[in-house]
Structure formats: C-alpha cells, structure tokens
Amino acid sequence: MNTAPTDIAPERSRTLVIWCPDWPAVAGARQAGKSPSEPVAVFHANRVQTCNRAARSEGIGVGQRRRDAQSRYPDLLVLKADPDRDARLFEPVVAAVESVAPGVEILRPGLVACSSRGPTRFFGSETEAAERIVDLVEALDVECSVGIADSLAVAVLAARQVKIVSRGGSATFCAGLPIVELARDPAIAPPERMDLIDLLIRLGIHTAGAFAALPDAKVATRFGADAVVAHRLAKGEAERGLSRRSIPEELAVEQPFDPPLERVDSAAFAAKALAERFHARLGDAGLACTRLAISATTDRGGHLSRIWRCARPLTPAATADRLRWQLDGWLTAGRTRQRTEDDDDTGPGGITSLRLEPIEAIGAGLVQYGLWGSDGQDDQRAGWAFARVQGLLGPQSVLTPVLSGGRGPGERITLLPWGEEKVPARDPSAPWPGALPAPTPSRLAGPDTTVTMLDDLGSPVVVTDRGMLSGAPSRLHGKAVDPCWIQSWAGPWLLDERWWTARPEIIQPPAPSPARAEYRPAPGDLDYRKPRSPRPEEPVGTGISAPARHSARLQVLPDTGPALLLLFGVDGWQVEGVYD
C-alpha cells in the first residue's frame, strides 16, 4: 500500500493570556471590605501607582501626587502598595481560570497565561473560549480582558488591547503599537527597557513597526541584548530559545513538615529556607531558573500545584517571594483552613510537604547581571552578610541611602534599614524653594567644622539681613580646613525655614576674629545677640520641637584643595560639604 508523504507540520499551540487591569486596586479594595466600583488608588512614594476605572473617571491618573488625587475626589480610598496582598488575593482568580484551562501559569499577580488549545477545543472557538473565561473571572467581581496570539509576549500585548491576533498576524498587530507598549508590562520587559524606549523616542522611533524595520545586526551592536529581545517582539516573533538545557530531576527540592503548615508566618519562614536550598542546587549545576513549579501536599490527601513564569532568571529572594505568595494564597483563600470541631473535612487541610521544581532553565553563564561582568554572586554574598549583621545587631545596624527631598545635601538623603522598601521621607520630585543648585557636594563634612572667613581687611565676613555678604571673601581658616586664600565664590543662598516656630532666646554670637577684639555688627548686619520676637499669630506651647533656622549657603573655591560648601548660621560659618 502506497502512503503519500506528509509535509504538514503540526500547528503550534497558541497562547491565551488573561489580564486583570488595575489588580492592585481591586485587591486592596477587597481587603478593605470596599466595593471595587468605588474610586480606589494605590500609592507608592506618595504617588499613584494604580487606580481603578472609577478613580480615572474622577480625573485621577497614574503618577499623580496624593494631594492632587484627593483634591479631585476627597472620598478616594487611599491604599499602600502591597505585593503580598496582591498575590495572596489573586489565587481564587487563578483557580477559576484553571477550572476550564489546564496548565495555567502565573506571570505576575493580575496576569496569567495558558495554552489556548484546550479551551478552544472544548468551547469550539477561540472567541467562545475567551468569552467563557471572561464570564468566569467577572463572576468573582473582577474585571478582565483576554488576548490570544502565537507567542506569549504578543499575547500579553494583545490582552492589553483586548484582541485575538490571527494566526501568523503577530507582525501586523505589533507594527501599529506605540513603541512604549514594548516596555509597558513587567511580565515581558525588565525595568531597564524603559531606558531603551526613551532613547528610541529621542531618535524619532515612535512605533513598534519603525523599530522592527531596523536591521537586526545594528540593533544588537548598538543597543544591547535586551534590545534584541524587544526587537523580536516588535517584529511579532516568538521568544528565542536561550540554550535551554535538560534539567536533571535531582535539582527539585522537597521539604516535609510535621506538624503541617497552617499559619502564614510559619510558611514564610519555610519559604526562605527552601528557596536557598533550591538555588544552591541550581548554582552547582550551572543553571538559572525561568519557570518554577510550586507543589504542595496536604494532610487530607490533596495536591496543589502552580507554575510561575518570570521575564528574568529567578534569584533566591524572588523565588522566596513567589513561594511565600503562593502559600499565603493557599492558606488564606479557603483552600486550606484550620480545622475546627464543626469542620466537615471537605477542605484540603494543612500542608505536609512542599516541592520546588525547575520547569525551564538556562545556563547561568548566559545571565548578565552587571555592566562590568559581575555574575551577581558578590551582591548575593553581600546580602547574606548584611542580613547576618542585622540579625545580630538589629535592623538599624545596616542602612541604605535613598534619594529624598530637601534643600541641603544632608536633607536629601534618607537612611533606611537594608532590605526595607526604599521609600524616601520626602518627595524628591516636589518643589523645594531655596534648594541648593546643582552640583551637589560629593561628600558631607563631619562634625565640628567651624571656620572663619575674612575679607581683604581682615574683618569677618557675615550675611546681612538683605541677603548680601558684608565683604568680599578673601581668606579662610579653621579646624576643618587649612589656612587658604579664596579664589572665587558663588552665593549666598538664603534659607528662612520654620520661621513660625521661633522662640525668644539668646543666641551666642560667633567667636571674634584676631582682627577684632569684639564683634560689633555693622549697620544692616544680622545681630545674633538680639532675640527674634515671635509673630503675634504664632501659637505658644504647641509642643513643636524643631526650632526656626535662618541661614545661608555659600560655595567657595580655595587656592588649595577641593571646592567647599559653607553654611552660615547662628554659629558662624561651617563646612557642610566637599566637592571632591
């Protein structure tokens, strides 16, 4: 019997993505017991990070300051960004999608993906499958949209556009998108891709189609490795297989628990230890995980499993976060609950074992963490050392500087315990009248930096009440600097801060210079021996501890040594910063 040769390759399975827009706002409202239909906004660093449709209808948008947002809608529900909350409350949504679409993978809280083959065959068409999944999710009072395309990254873009891309039509679909869409979703784009997008916009490339028209070799040589990935996405091509290796079975780690885990805090502690073991095995094998399977067995015979996919290779901290989120969702979403006498034994029960298994991995040598060739191991070891020091001496023993708002160089630094969220004490983007102009000193001076500034006649130079210097600076000497001549200077910049808290008090004058036996201010100079009377409207006894400050800053360039930033106040001149 003759058999005709078959050249038809099996059709590649397409990807279906379910996107829940504004999920942090929805999860926050649900945790607060509020309806998602009310205006809700999630804030990070005092700016709107996410808001729902009701808030946008009131004129509230992403990036808006909290004061502006509340002025538009005073009854706005204000919430803090909380990744743990978003991941924990997302578990019921994933379970609903999994009931009709097997093989669900979590890309991030608010975004899941699966193969479209199963739902399409069951419901008859991709359109019908998308409609049924939307109905299931919206039955949980969660708004969502579905996108289907030939590859995962294009399906994510399609979900944001609420579109089903025809087979083979990814290039046409992507060509009409704004270039910024390539970096819009963190599930398919690392944070640094936005810098690439800004550069392309400055070069006049505003659409993905214009970027796709560039030659591959030029993109690779001029923009770097991530630009190649973005370029393939702009052309609608599937993700490139980055030398994925076969994964040995012994890389999976498993941890039994006796008694079973039924508390979130116990699960978080177990997640960190298990994640470190998991990455130690991956490191020994020279691999980095990009898709992670988390499985759990319960004391009632249940088996729970979930797959997480990441845009970048997982680190131990990222793995511990995803494991903690998943356990928190299982333990608090009603799927595992604490037993009581009236329990009907229908729940899965407590978690008796956990298993981490790499589904996809790439060679660790292919992971580029730093510009100068670092593989990330130094940062990891430093993190372990910092955590150990904090465990011995307390969280305040290791501090991280964060750019903050303020007028002086010292005020523009907020020191936070290492490992905490980097939220500045003051908004650095807010207007700061009287702030020191650029450049900022590279080094702050230490304590006891009093200096004396003299003019050409040897008289002390002070700042008058008109904001002028009493003389041209000529010489400088003191404990903080060696005697030197001043070549040039800039300023002064006046500061009159917290004037409403002034108290009548005697302020000592600066020490007299050798040129004068007694300090006597000239007409128009600030007399520091006289107390400043409080204003009639100032409250008395309000408990305000911060005193009023009347000072000025001056930049000087000595003939020897680096430039200095000087601060003039009640104690005379002091060195505040050094321009190394």
mmCIF file with all atom_site columns, all heavy atoms in Angstrom, residues 135-152:
data_model
loop_
_atom_site.group_PDB
_atom_site.id
_atom_site.type_symbol
_atom_site.label_atom_id
_atom_site.label_alt_id
_atom_site.label_comp_id
_atom_site.label_asym_id
_atom_site.label_entity_id
_atom_site.label_seq_id
_atom_site.pdbx_PDB_ins_code
_atom_site.Cartn_x
_atom_site.Cartn_y
_atom_site.Cartn_z
_atom_site.occupancy
_atom_site.B_iso_or_equiv
_atom_site.pdbx_formal_charge
_atom_site.auth_seq_id
_atom_site.auth_comp_id
_atom_site.auth_asym_id
_atom_site.auth_atom_id
_atom_site.pdbx_PDB_model_num
ATOM 1   N N   . ASP A 1 135 ? -16.365 35.502 31.530 1.00 0.00 ? 135 ASP A N   1
ATOM 2   C CA  . ASP A 1 135 ? -17.537 35.337 32.385 1.00 0.00 ? 135 ASP A CA  1
ATOM 3   C C   . ASP A 1 135 ? -17.171 34.710 33.722 1.00 0.00 ? 135 ASP A C   1
ATOM 4   O O   . ASP A 1 135 ? -17.691 35.111 34.776 1.00 0.00 ? 135 ASP A O   1
ATOM 5   C CB  . ASP A 1 135 ? -18.582 34.472 31.672 1.00 0.00 ? 135 ASP A CB  1
ATOM 6   C CG  . ASP A 1 135 ? -19.165 35.164 30.448 1.00 0.00 ? 135 ASP A CG  1
ATOM 7   O OD1 . ASP A 1 135 ? -19.065 36.403 30.372 1.00 0.00 ? 135 ASP A OD1 1
ATOM 8   O OD2 . ASP A 1 135 ? -19.702 34.466 29.559 1.00 0.00 ? 135 ASP A OD2 1
ATOM 9   N N   . LEU A 1 136 ? -16.274 33.724 33.708 1.00 0.00 ? 136 LEU A N   1
ATOM 10  C CA  . LEU A 1 136 ? -15.872 33.083 34.955 1.00 0.00 ? 136 LEU A CA  1
ATOM 11  C C   . LEU A 1 136 ? -15.158 34.054 35.889 1.00 0.00 ? 136 LEU A C   1
ATOM 12  O O   . LEU A 1 136 ? -15.423 34.079 37.096 1.00 0.00 ? 136 LEU A O   1
ATOM 13  C CB  . LEU A 1 136 ? -14.952 31.891 34.656 1.00 0.00 ? 136 LEU A CB  1
ATOM 14  C CG  . LEU A 1 136 ? -15.605 30.594 34.165 1.00 0.00 ? 136 LEU A CG  1
ATOM 15  C CD1 . LEU A 1 136 ? -14.529 29.597 33.780 1.00 0.00 ? 136 LEU A CD1 1
ATOM 16  C CD2 . LEU A 1 136 ? -16.507 30.017 35.252 1.00 0.00 ? 136 LEU A CD2 1
ATOM 17  N N   . VAL A 1 137 ? -14.253 34.856 35.340 1.00 0.00 ? 137 VAL A N   1
ATOM 18  C CA  . VAL A 1 137 ? -13.496 35.786 36.182 1.00 0.00 ? 137 VAL A CA  1
ATOM 19  C C   . VAL A 1 137 ? -14.383 36.922 36.670 1.00 0.00 ? 137 VAL A C   1
ATOM 20  O O   . VAL A 1 137 ? -14.317 37.328 37.846 1.00 0.00 ? 137 VAL A O   1
ATOM 21  C CB  . VAL A 1 137 ? -12.277 36.320 35.406 1.00 0.00 ? 137 VAL A CB  1
ATOM 22  C CG1 . VAL A 1 137 ? -11.530 37.369 36.225 1.00 0.00 ? 137 VAL A CG1 1
ATOM 23  C CG2 . VAL A 1 137 ? -11.336 35.181 35.045 1.00 0.00 ? 137 VAL A CG2 1
ATOM 24  N N   . GLU A 1 138 ? -15.233 37.453 35.795 1.00 0.00 ? 138 GLU A N   1
ATOM 25  C CA  . GLU A 1 138 ? -16.092 38.555 36.211 1.00 0.00 ? 138 GLU A CA  1
ATOM 26  C C   . GLU A 1 138 ? -17.176 38.106 37.182 1.00 0.00 ? 138 GLU A C   1
ATOM 27  O O   . GLU A 1 138 ? -17.766 38.941 37.877 1.00 0.00 ? 138 GLU A O   1
ATOM 28  C CB  . GLU A 1 138 ? -16.713 39.217 34.989 1.00 0.00 ? 138 GLU A CB  1
ATOM 29  C CG  . GLU A 1 138 ? -15.688 39.966 34.128 1.00 0.00 ? 138 GLU A CG  1
ATOM 30  C CD  . GLU A 1 138 ? -16.325 40.765 33.021 1.00 0.00 ? 138 GLU A CD  1
ATOM 31  O OE1 . GLU A 1 138 ? -17.539 40.552 32.763 1.00 0.00 ? 138 GLU A OE1 1
ATOM 32  O OE2 . GLU A 1 138 ? -15.622 41.593 32.416 1.00 0.00 ? 138 GLU A OE2 1
ATOM 33  N N   . ALA A 1 139 ? -17.442 36.789 37.245 1.00 0.00 ? 139 ALA A N   1
ATOM 34  C CA  . ALA A 1 139 ? -18.354 36.283 38.276 1.00 0.00 ? 139 ALA A CA  1
ATOM 35  C C   . ALA A 1 139 ? -17.772 36.475 39.672 1.00 0.00 ? 139 ALA A C   1
ATOM 36  O O   . ALA A 1 139 ? -18.514 36.485 40.663 1.00 0.00 ? 139 ALA A O   1
ATOM 37  C CB  . ALA A 1 139 ? -18.655 34.804 38.027 1.00 0.00 ? 139 ALA A CB  1
ATOM 38  N N   . LEU A 1 140 ? -16.451 36.636 39.762 1.00 0.00 ? 140 LEU A N   1
ATOM 39  C CA  . LEU A 1 140 ? -15.792 36.927 41.041 1.00 0.00 ? 140 LEU A CA  1
ATOM 40  C C   . LEU A 1 140 ? -15.704 38.419 41.300 1.00 0.00 ? 140 LEU A C   1
ATOM 41  O O   . LEU A 1 140 ? -14.979 38.847 42.213 1.00 0.00 ? 140 LEU A O   1
ATOM 42  C CB  . LEU A 1 140 ? -14.382 36.333 41.034 1.00 0.00 ? 140 LEU A CB  1
ATOM 43  C CG  . LEU A 1 140 ? -14.271 34.823 40.822 1.00 0.00 ? 140 LEU A CG  1
ATOM 44  C CD1 . LEU A 1 140 ? -12.808 34.401 40.726 1.00 0.00 ? 140 LEU A CD1 1
ATOM 45  C CD2 . LEU A 1 140 ? -14.974 34.072 41.939 1.00 0.00 ? 140 LEU A CD2 1
ATOM 46  N N   . ASP A 1 141 ? -16.413 39.224 40.523 1.00 0.00 ? 141 ASP A N   1
ATOM 47  C CA  . ASP A 1 141 ? -16.401 40.680 40.632 1.00 0.00 ? 141 ASP A CA  1
ATOM 48  C C   . ASP A 1 141 ? -15.023 41.247 40.323 1.00 0.00 ? 141 ASP A C   1
ATOM 49  O O   . ASP A 1 141 ? -14.547 42.176 40.978 1.00 0.00 ? 141 ASP A O   1
ATOM 50  C CB  . ASP A 1 141 ? -16.857 41.122 42.027 1.00 0.00 ? 141 ASP A CB  1
ATOM 51  C CG  . ASP A 1 141 ? -17.336 42.576 42.033 1.00 0.00 ? 141 ASP A CG  1
ATOM 52  O OD1 . ASP A 1 141 ? -17.570 43.125 40.941 1.00 0.00 ? 141 ASP A OD1 1
ATOM 53  O OD2 . ASP A 1 141 ? -17.446 43.156 43.125 1.00 0.00 ? 141 ASP A OD2 1
ATOM 54  N N   . VAL A 1 142 ? -14.371 40.672 39.304 1.00 0.00 ? 142 VAL A N   1
ATOM 55  C CA  . VAL A 1 142 ? -13.047 41.119 38.870 1.00 0.00 ? 142 VAL A CA  1
ATOM 56  C C   . VAL A 1 142 ? -13.106 41.371 37.368 1.00 0.00 ? 142 VAL A C   1
ATOM 57  O O   . VAL A 1 142 ? -13.471 40.474 36.599 1.00 0.00 ? 142 VAL A O   1
ATOM 58  C CB  . VAL A 1 142 ? -11.961 40.077 39.190 1.00 0.00 ? 142 VAL A CB  1
ATOM 59  C CG1 . VAL A 1 142 ? -10.606 40.548 38.656 1.00 0.00 ? 142 VAL A CG1 1
ATOM 60  C CG2 . VAL A 1 142 ? -11.885 39.822 40.690 1.00 0.00 ? 142 VAL A CG2 1
ATOM 61  N N   . GLU A 1 143 ? -12.784 42.563 36.957 1.00 0.00 ? 143 GLU A N   1
ATOM 62  C CA  . GLU A 1 143 ? -12.760 42.893 35.528 1.00 0.00 ? 143 GLU A CA  1
ATOM 63  C C   . GLU A 1 143 ? -11.510 42.303 34.881 1.00 0.00 ? 143 GLU A C   1
ATOM 64  O O   . GLU A 1 143 ? -10.423 42.319 35.464 1.00 0.00 ? 143 GLU A O   1
ATOM 65  C CB  . GLU A 1 143 ? -12.775 44.410 35.357 1.00 0.00 ? 143 GLU A CB  1
ATOM 66  C CG  . GLU A 1 143 ? -12.780 44.878 33.913 1.00 0.00 ? 143 GLU A CG  1
ATOM 67  C CD  . GLU A 1 143 ? -12.713 46.383 33.786 1.00 0.00 ? 143 GLU A CD  1
ATOM 68  O OE1 . GLU A 1 143 ? -12.703 47.058 34.844 1.00 0.00 ? 143 GLU A OE1 1
ATOM 69  O OE2 . GLU A 1 143 ? -12.643 46.877 32.653 1.00 0.00 ? 143 GLU A OE2 1
ATOM 70  N N   . CYS A 1 144 ? -11.663 41.770 33.682 1.00 0.00 ? 144 CYS A N   1
ATOM 71  C CA  . CYS A 1 144 ? -10.518 41.173 32.998 1.00 0.00 ? 144 CYS A CA  1
ATOM 72  C C   . CYS A 1 144 ? -10.688 41.303 31.494 1.00 0.00 ? 144 CYS A C   1
ATOM 73  O O   . CYS A 1 144 ? -11.788 41.602 30.997 1.00 0.00 ? 144 CYS A O   1
ATOM 74  C CB  . CYS A 1 144 ? -10.338 39.708 33.392 1.00 0.00 ? 144 CYS A CB  1
ATOM 75  S SG  . CYS A 1 144 ? -11.516 38.577 32.626 1.00 0.00 ? 144 CYS A SG  1
ATOM 76  N N   . SER A 1 145 ? -9.597  41.061 30.782 1.00 0.00 ? 145 SER A N   1
ATOM 77  C CA  . SER A 1 145 ? -9.601  41.021 29.318 1.00 0.00 ? 145 SER A CA  1
ATOM 78  C C   . SER A 1 145 ? -8.709  39.881 28.878 1.00 0.00 ? 145 SER A C   1
ATOM 79  O O   . SER A 1 145 ? -7.802  39.464 29.605 1.00 0.00 ? 145 SER A O   1
ATOM 80  C CB  . SER A 1 145 ? -9.123  42.350 28.729 1.00 0.00 ? 145 SER A CB  1
ATOM 81  O OG  . SER A 1 145 ? -7.800  42.631 29.129 1.00 0.00 ? 145 SER A OG  1
ATOM 82  N N   . VAL A 1 146 ? -8.946  39.370 27.668 1.00 0.00 ? 146 VAL A N   1
ATOM 83  C CA  . VAL A 1 146 ? -8.246  38.200 27.155 1.00 0.00 ? 146 VAL A CA  1
ATOM 84  C C   . VAL A 1 146 ? -7.592  38.558 25.836 1.00 0.00 ? 146 VAL A C   1
ATOM 85  O O   . VAL A 1 146 ? -8.170  39.271 25.007 1.00 0.00 ? 146 VAL A O   1
ATOM 86  C CB  . VAL A 1 146 ? -9.213  37.010 26.982 1.00 0.00 ? 146 VAL A CB  1
ATOM 87  C CG1 . VAL A 1 146 ? -8.514  35.854 26.287 1.00 0.00 ? 146 VAL A CG1 1
ATOM 88  C CG2 . VAL A 1 146 ? -9.750  36.565 28.326 1.00 0.00 ? 146 VAL A CG2 1
ATOM 89  N N   . GLY A 1 147 ? -6.377  38.052 25.660 1.00 0.00 ? 147 GLY A N   1
ATOM 90  C CA  . GLY A 1 147 ? -5.663  38.191 24.400 1.00 0.00 ? 147 GLY A CA  1
ATOM 91  C C   . GLY A 1 147 ? -5.092  36.851 23.977 1.00 0.00 ? 147 GLY A C   1
ATOM 92  O O   . GLY A 1 147 ? -4.629  36.081 24.823 1.00 0.00 ? 147 GLY A O   1
ATOM 93  N N   . ILE A 1 148 ? -5.147  36.551 22.684 1.00 0.00 ? 148 ILE A N   1
ATOM 94  C CA  . ILE A 1 148 ? -4.639  35.293 22.155 1.00 0.00 ? 148 ILE A CA  1
ATOM 95  C C   . ILE A 1 148 ? -3.727  35.611 20.971 1.00 0.00 ? 148 ILE A C   1
ATOM 96  O O   . ILE A 1 148 ? -4.073  36.424 20.108 1.00 0.00 ? 148 ILE A O   1
ATOM 97  C CB  . ILE A 1 148 ? -5.782  34.355 21.706 1.00 0.00 ? 148 ILE A CB  1
ATOM 98  C CG1 . ILE A 1 148 ? -6.734  34.075 22.869 1.00 0.00 ? 148 ILE A CG1 1
ATOM 99  C CG2 . ILE A 1 148 ? -5.234  33.051 21.150 1.00 0.00 ? 148 ILE A CG2 1
ATOM 100 C CD1 . ILE A 1 148 ? -7.933  33.216 22.491 1.00 0.00 ? 148 ILE A CD1 1
ATOM 101 N N   . ALA A 1 149 ? -2.559  34.977 20.962 1.00 0.00 ? 149 ALA A N   1
ATOM 102 C CA  . ALA A 1 149 ? -1.595  35.199 19.877 1.00 0.00 ? 149 ALA A CA  1
ATOM 103 C C   . ALA A 1 149 ? -0.711  33.964 19.760 1.00 0.00 ? 149 ALA A C   1
ATOM 104 O O   . ALA A 1 149 ? -0.834  32.998 20.519 1.00 0.00 ? 149 ALA A O   1
ATOM 105 C CB  . ALA A 1 149 ? -0.760  36.452 20.133 1.00 0.00 ? 149 ALA A CB  1
ATOM 106 N N   . ASP A 1 150 ? 0.202   34.010 18.781 1.00 0.00 ? 150 ASP A N   1
ATOM 107 C CA  . ASP A 1 150 ? 1.080   32.868 18.526 1.00 0.00 ? 150 ASP A CA  1
ATOM 108 C C   . ASP A 1 150 ? 2.150   32.696 19.598 1.00 0.00 ? 150 ASP A C   1
ATOM 109 O O   . ASP A 1 150 ? 2.662   31.592 19.781 1.00 0.00 ? 150 ASP A O   1
ATOM 110 C CB  . ASP A 1 150 ? 1.746   33.021 17.154 1.00 0.00 ? 150 ASP A CB  1
ATOM 111 C CG  . ASP A 1 150 ? 0.733   32.975 16.018 1.00 0.00 ? 150 ASP A CG  1
ATOM 112 O OD1 . ASP A 1 150 ? -0.357  32.412 16.240 1.00 0.00 ? 150 ASP A OD1 1
ATOM 113 O OD2 . ASP A 1 150 ? 1.030   33.498 14.935 1.00 0.00 ? 150 ASP A OD2 1
ATOM 114 N N   . SER A 1 151 ? 2.535   33.760 20.289 1.00 0.00 ? 151 SER A N   1
ATOM 115 C CA  . SER A 1 151 ? 3.576   33.683 21.304 1.00 0.00 ? 151 SER A CA  1
ATOM 116 C C   . SER A 1 151 ? 3.105   34.382 22.572 1.00 0.00 ? 151 SER A C   1
ATOM 117 O O   . SER A 1 151 ? 2.150   35.157 22.555 1.00 0.00 ? 151 SER A O   1
ATOM 118 C CB  . SER A 1 151 ? 4.881   34.322 20.805 1.00 0.00 ? 151 SER A CB  1
ATOM 119 O OG  . SER A 1 151 ? 4.691   35.696 20.536 1.00 0.00 ? 151 SER A OG  1
ATOM 120 N N   . LEU A 1 152 ? 3.825   34.103 23.650 1.00 0.00 ? 152 LEU A N   1
ATOM 121 C CA  . LEU A 1 152 ? 3.418   34.634 24.949 1.00 0.00 ? 152 LEU A CA  1
ATOM 122 C C   . LEU A 1 152 ? 3.492   36.150 24.997 1.00 0.00 ? 152 LEU A C   1
ATOM 123 O O   . LEU A 1 152 ? 2.538   36.820 25.419 1.00 0.00 ? 152 LEU A O   1
ATOM 124 C CB  . LEU A 1 152 ? 4.290   34.014 26.047 1.00 0.00 ? 152 LEU A CB  1
ATOM 125 C CG  . LEU A 1 152 ? 4.096   34.586 27.450 1.00 0.00 ? 152 LEU A CG  1
ATOM 126 C CD1 . LEU A 1 152 ? 2.702   34.288 27.959 1.00 0.00 ? 152 LEU A CD1 1
ATOM 127 C CD2 . LEU A 1 152 ? 5.143   34.054 28.408 1.00 0.00 ? 152 LEU A CD2 1
#
